[in-house]
Amino acid sequence: MKKHIFMLLIAPLLIACNNNPKYADYSEYPVYEGSDLELVYSQQASKFRVWAPTATQVKLLLYDNGLEGSAYEIQNMKRSEKGTWKLKVDGNLKGKFYTFQVKIGEQWLDETPGMWVKATGVNGKRAAIIDFSETNPEGWDLDKRPPLANFTDIILYELHVRDFSVSPTSGMKNKGKFLAFTEQGTKNANGQSTGINHLKELGVTHVHLLPSFDYASVDETKLDEKKYNWGYDPLNFNVPEGGYSTDPYNPVSRIREFKQMVQSLHNSGIRVIMDVVYNHTFIGQNSHLDLLAPGYFYRMNADSTWSNASGCSNETASERAMMRKFMIESVVYWATEYHVDGFRFDLMGIHDIETMNLIREALNKVDPTIFIYGEGWTAGGSPLAEEKRALKKNAKQLKDIAVFSDDIRDALKGSWMHSEIPGFVSGIDSLEESVKFGIVGATKHPQVDYSKLIYSKEPYVNNPSQTINYVSCHDDMCLVDKLNQSKPVDATSEELARFNKLAQTVVFTSQGVPFIYAGEELYRNKKGVHNTYQSPDSINQIDWSFKEKYSDIYNYYKGLISLRKKHAAFRIPTQSLVQQNLKFLNVTVPNVVAYTLNGHVNGDIWKNILVIYNGNRKNVKVGIPAGNWSVVCHDGQINMNGIMQVNDTTFNVAPSSASIMYGQ
Ligand code: CA
């Protein structure tokens, strides 16, 4: 309904602005169905076809250089079907660059490399003509996705390409580059594994890369300035970031090196997920998209100002046919050309549900084990009706697409917004129901009192496979800093480590998909900086010397991952199995949550598992079911060979810690 009003208001403006009386509103724009946008290259000819339905004229400009100099040739493109303009240029254009230039009414807009562009010169201003068969590393045709049975088997590790290797302690040569992921046998000063060997040793199944498509904020011609950015400022969605390549001037370099990274991770049994940011562009007006069809790709407010659900001054319009087509084809492109195994949608709540489900369908045709998840929220209001948006509260309508659980995150560690507010693991009670909600993966469970949750008031997913459990990510304070900032005044550093371990124990034993921020396993801190999107390396880099310094933490995290991987009971794929086999104990002590996983659930080798989380900063005695229990996790230690035997109906849980035991 809102959209309808919006169209009525905006239509006269469109006609006035674009001097284009052809279309009353965006829904009337022609839709081009073909898959040959914007360049089809062969050695014999290059065929260009650009969608610019409101243009009065379109030019193609050809260049020898990816950044400088003038065009050596400029040709007019011819009006073709469905709002496209086309031109065939004979001969082998490999090594050349091009842009399109669109005229709206009497006004020539700035040049654009287009939006479907797959290779560019330095800084992504001009499209590059390359032969993609020359971008494949040796053995690429044999590259395979590592096996994956269920989404709940996934362990996500969120990582910034630069953070991974840039520290002098990394032992890696290709600092800040995709190629760092291809370096085997790298070590820190203590001789411990770093880099890809570390990831393998840790046991994560998926590396989730922060934006690694071509973003705008780092000048690729000045990489020696060591400028840092997370990369949430998309420039070219279908091109890898040049700053992470060894030679951003050579269009092939970033493409081949991205593939080498994927291949290397696959060879180590690790899948690769891309953080995709289709919800906005670095700039709105005059972005590479906007220069093709002004206004079309973005939502506007009723007063014709740019809507801003992204908090970055613009938001794209996934519900419009050509933006939808672009998003679907873009993810399929990354999944096929680059063998990417999953996508994390930034501010997914800006996109419409229908587009997200069409993306799922399209990726299912490539490989149904490709994982899709996103932030089920926005960073501001959107003109798109709430019921149409891919929000957390609408997640049941998303098919096999997961959402982040801010419920478990903030229940465990405290408010993301108020860094001084602590959570369950720091000794705060009344958060038990929210922790329980996290344990059942945001599904419906008869023993959870949904009225007592901190955020959601009802289950929002169909199955735990749709829930991402986490306590920290790149946003806001990392876990170490947050726990430190919100600590009780008398808390010791030893206690802070306990809080940390307890938080991640809940994450790794809860139903759903666990997610950690890279370096948390090394007790990473970011010197208390809340939002490090442009902080220097000294704040953001992973310090690999911490692997020795905080070996107790590292071993515990590794133990948690191993526990989860060996025990299918923590990876139950469906809500009904969780309902039947996960039973909360009736615990009378505040700030304690305990439950059992029963009957070899999900094929687990253990018959019954008892899990107790004690958020209190003191020992608690908890009543437990009678039986012979073997304790594998207790007082901040994990030992799968068993720590002690229990044959009693009560158990003493150590302060700020979890106890996990199994019985036959
Ligand atoms: Ca860039």
Side-chain angles (χ1 to χ4, degrees):
M1 208 55 201
K2 271 183 188 165
K3 187 181 164 195
H4 186 63
I5 295 164
F6 153 69
M7 287 304 181
L8 287 176
L9 289 168
I10 201 78
L13 187 88
L14 263 180
I15 292 165
C17 282
N18 296 345
N19 191 21
N20 177 45
K22 273 195 297 192
Y23 312 117
D25 64 51
Y26 292 130
S27 68
E28 289 191 2
Y29 278 39
V31 178
Y32 183 72
E33 306 277 358
S35 57
D36 58 345
L37 293 166
E38 291 160 353
L39 167 67
V40 176
Y41 162 82
S42 74
Q43 289 181 9
Q44 290 71 41
S46 291
K47 294 177 183 170
F48 299 90
R49 181 192 288 277
V50 64
W51 188 77
T54 53
T56 48
Q57 208 178 329
V58 180
K59 285 192 290 204
L60 173 78
L61 297 90
L62 289 165
Y63 294 91
D64 288 316
N65 186 285
L67 183 68
E68 294 163 336
S70 0
Y72 70 83
E73 191 175 320
I74 301 174
Q75 291 201 40
N76 285 319
M77 299 185 75
K78 291 186 181 59
R79 200 186 286 275
S80 181
E81 61 191 284
K82 301 286 185 187
T84 64
W85 299 71
K86 67 177 186 176
L87 180 70
K88 182 179 163 199
V89 180
D90 289 327
N92 191 349
L93 294 188
K94 191 174 87 174
K96 303 297 185 191
F97 298 84
Y98 67 90
T99 59
F100 302 110
Q101 196 174 13
V102 167
K103 192 179 181 186
I104 301 289
E106 294 305 312
Q107 186 194 349
W108 282 103
L109 306 182
D110 290 344
E111 292 170 50
T112 169
M115 63 189 281
W116 306 74
V117 50
K118 296 180 171 71
T120 66
V122 69
N123 276 342
K125 305 251 190 265
R126 291 177 185 169
I129 303 172
I130 64 167
D131 183 343
F132 265 83
S133 67
E134 295 172 4
T135 66
N136 295 341
E138 200 181 328
W140 184 243
D141 53 338
L142 300 172
D143 178 61
K144 281 200 168 43
R145 306 178 197 282
L148 178 70
N150 293 306
F151 291 141
T152 46
D153 298 341
I154 292 172
I155 295 166
L156 296 166
Y157 187 85
E158 187 201 37
L159 178 60
H160 187 279
V161 170
R162 189 173 172 90
D163 295 0
F164 182 60
S165 55
V166 79
S167 162
T169 61
S170 74
M172 290 175 247
K173 291 192 193 79
N174 294 283
K175 291 194 163 47
K177 307 294 181 190
F178 294 134
L179 284 185
F181 289 85
T182 66
E183 295 185 43
Q184 294 287 336
T186 60
K187 294 189 185 323
N188 65 10
N190 297 90
Q192 295 164 304
S193 293
T194 63
I196 196 162
N197 295 114
H198 168 83
L199 297 178
K200 207 171 162 179
E201 186 185 285
L202 179 61
V204 295
T205 65
H206 287 57
V207 162
H208 151 169
L209 298 170
L210 262 70
S212 297
F213 53 77
D214 186 20
Y215 58 81
S217 53
V218 169
D219 186 340
E220 297 172 7
T221 68
K222 294 177 181 164
L223 293 178
D224 51 348
E225 290 180 358
K226 298 185 175 174
K227 200 174 160 197
Y228 183 94
N229 206 284
W230 281 341
Y232 293 93
D233 43 78
L235 185 65
N236 295 302
F237 289 106
N238 287 348
V239 181
E241 162 58 20
Y244 298 150
S245 73
T246 56
D247 182 5
Y249 290 86
N250 173 0
V252 172
S253 166
R254 61 180 77 186
I255 296 169
R256 184 186 290 129
E257 290 166 18
F258 193 107
K259 289 178 176 177
Q260 285 176 270
M261 168 180 68
V262 173
Q263 184 182 42
S264 176
L265 283 161
H266 283 177
N267 287 343
S268 292
I270 298 169
R271 288 191 172 210
V272 183
I273 286 174
M274 276 187 72
D275 193 336
V276 286
V277 190
Y278 298 109
N279 64 71
H280 75 283
T281 49
F282 176 58
I283 50 170
Q285 194 169 21
N286 293 333
S287 73
H288 292 169
L289 289 64
D290 199 53
L291 290 168
L292 297 173
Y296 175 87
F297 294 102
Y298 299 89
R299 295 186 191 131
M300 303 286 161
N301 296 314
D303 64 358
S304 80
T305 55
W306 289 64
S307 59
N308 186 24
S310 69
C312 298
S313 81
N314 66 80
E315 70 179 272
T316 55
S318 57
E319 71 281 14
R320 286 185 203 139
M322 289 302 283
M323 186 64 203
R324 176 175 287 166
K325 171 183 163 76
F326 175 73
M327 286 171 62
I328 295 168
E329 292 185 8
S330 180
V331 289
V332 167
Y333 173 68
W334 283 103
T336 50
E337 182 68 34
Y338 289 92
H339 304 181
V340 165
D341 309 291
F343 300 91
R344 175 266 189 197
F345 281 77
D346 184 63
L347 299 179
M348 185 169 69
I350 292 178
H351 305 314
D352 67 296
I353 294 167
E354 192 181 344
T355 298
M356 291 308 304
N357 283 333
L358 288 168
I359 283 172
R360 176 74 267 173
E361 277 176 36
L363 288 173
N364 280 348
K365 287 179 193 152
V366 179
D367 186 332
T369 68
I370 290 174
F371 190 45
I372 307 176
Y373 56 109
E375 293 181 307
W377 50 75
T378 65
S382 171
L384 186 68
E386 208 167 88
E387 67 266 21
K388 290 189 174 176
R389 287 195 262 142
L391 294 165
K392 186 180 74 168
K393 68 176 187 177
N394 297 331
K396 283 184 187 168
Q397 296 174 59
L398 296 167
K399 298 191 179 72
D400 288 324
I401 297 174
V403 291
F404 284 95
S405 171
D406 51 347
D407 306 82
I408 190 172
R409 183 194 69 195
D410 289 4
L412 291 172
K413 74 168 183 182
S415 164
W416 67 275
M417 201 186 306
H418 305 287
S419 51
E420 71 288 358
I421 295 181
F424 175 85
V425 303
S426 308
I428 302 303
D429 58 19
S430 80
L431 294 164
E432 296 88 340
E433 291 304 316
S434 291
V435 173
K436 286 166 67 181
F437 182 55
I439 293 163
V440 300
T443 60
K444 186 173 172 57
H445 191 282
Q447 289 176 281
V448 176
D449 182 348
Y450 293 87
S451 70
K452 292 183 179 162
L453 305 186
I454 50 170
Y455 298 146
S456 302
K457 295 298 170 208
E458 57 185 10
Y460 49 79
V461 296
N462 302 305
N463 288 302
S465 54
Q466 276 189 281
T467 305
I468 308 290
N469 293 320
Y470 71 128
V471 274
S472 76
C473 65
H474 66 278
D475 277 322
D476 310 313
M477 278 191 173
C478 65
L479 186 59
V480 167
D481 288 342
K482 165 69 190 179
L483 294 177
N484 187 45
Q485 186 77 21
S486 60
K487 69 180 176 190
V489 281
D490 59 339
T492 63
S493 58
E494 190 266 343
E495 273 191 288
L496 289 177
R498 286 177 165 273
F499 300 168
N500 186 300
K501 287 178 179 176
L502 175 58
Q504 299 288 18
T505 310
V506 182
V507 168
F508 280 104
T509 49
S510 287
Q511 304 301 325
V513 179
F515 170 111
I516 58 167
Y517 182 41
E520 298 284 16
E521 78 280 15
L522 306 181
Y523 216 53
R524 167 191 204 164
N525 72 77
K526 296 205 284 188
K527 300 182 168 67
V529 181
H530 191 80
N531 186 349
T532 63
Y533 78 102
Q534 54 182 6
S535 297
D537 291 335
S538 58
I539 303 284
N540 280 303
Q541 68 194 0
I542 293 175
D543 185 337
W544 292 93
S545 72
F546 281 23
K547 192 165 175 178
E548 170 67 20
K549 195 172 174 186
Y550 299 107
S551 59
D552 176 58
I553 293 279
Y554 174 64
N555 289 329
Y556 189 82
Y557 275 61
K558 207 171 97 175
L560 282 175
I561 290 172
S562 175
L563 171 73
R564 185 175 177 92
K565 286 172 95 168
K566 285 186 181 142
H567 292 284
F570 301 111
R571 299 181 270 119
I572 303 173
T574 64
Q575 173 176 266
S576 58
L577 269 179
V578 174
Q579 288 170 348
Q580 289 157 27
N581 300 286
L582 190 156
K583 306 288 179 198
F584 289 101
L585 303 190
N586 190 12
V587 182
T588 49
V589 192
N591 206 22
V592 173
V593 174
Y595 61 96
T596 55
L597 294 158
N598 308 310
H600 295 289
V601 58
N602 201 26
D604 203 296
I605 51 169
W606 288 343
K607 186 176 177 191
N608 296 311
I609 302 174
L610 171 60
V611 181
I612 311 168
Y613 310 125
N614 176 19
N616 297 290
R617 296 169 61 205
K618 59 181 186 199
N619 272 299
V620 293
K621 188 179 267 192
V622 178
I624 61 170
N628 280 313
W629 298 101
S630 302
V631 180
V632 293
C633 174
H634 182 65
D635 198 14
Q637 300 299 319
I638 293 182
N639 186 342
M640 299 295 281
N641 297 322
I643 295 170
M644 64 177 113
Q645 296 291 314
V646 177
N647 189 352
D648 203 343
T649 51
T650 59
F651 186 74
N652 267 313
V653 187
S656 313
S657 70
S659 289
I660 302 171
M661 55 195 85
Y662 68 93
Q664 296 303 325

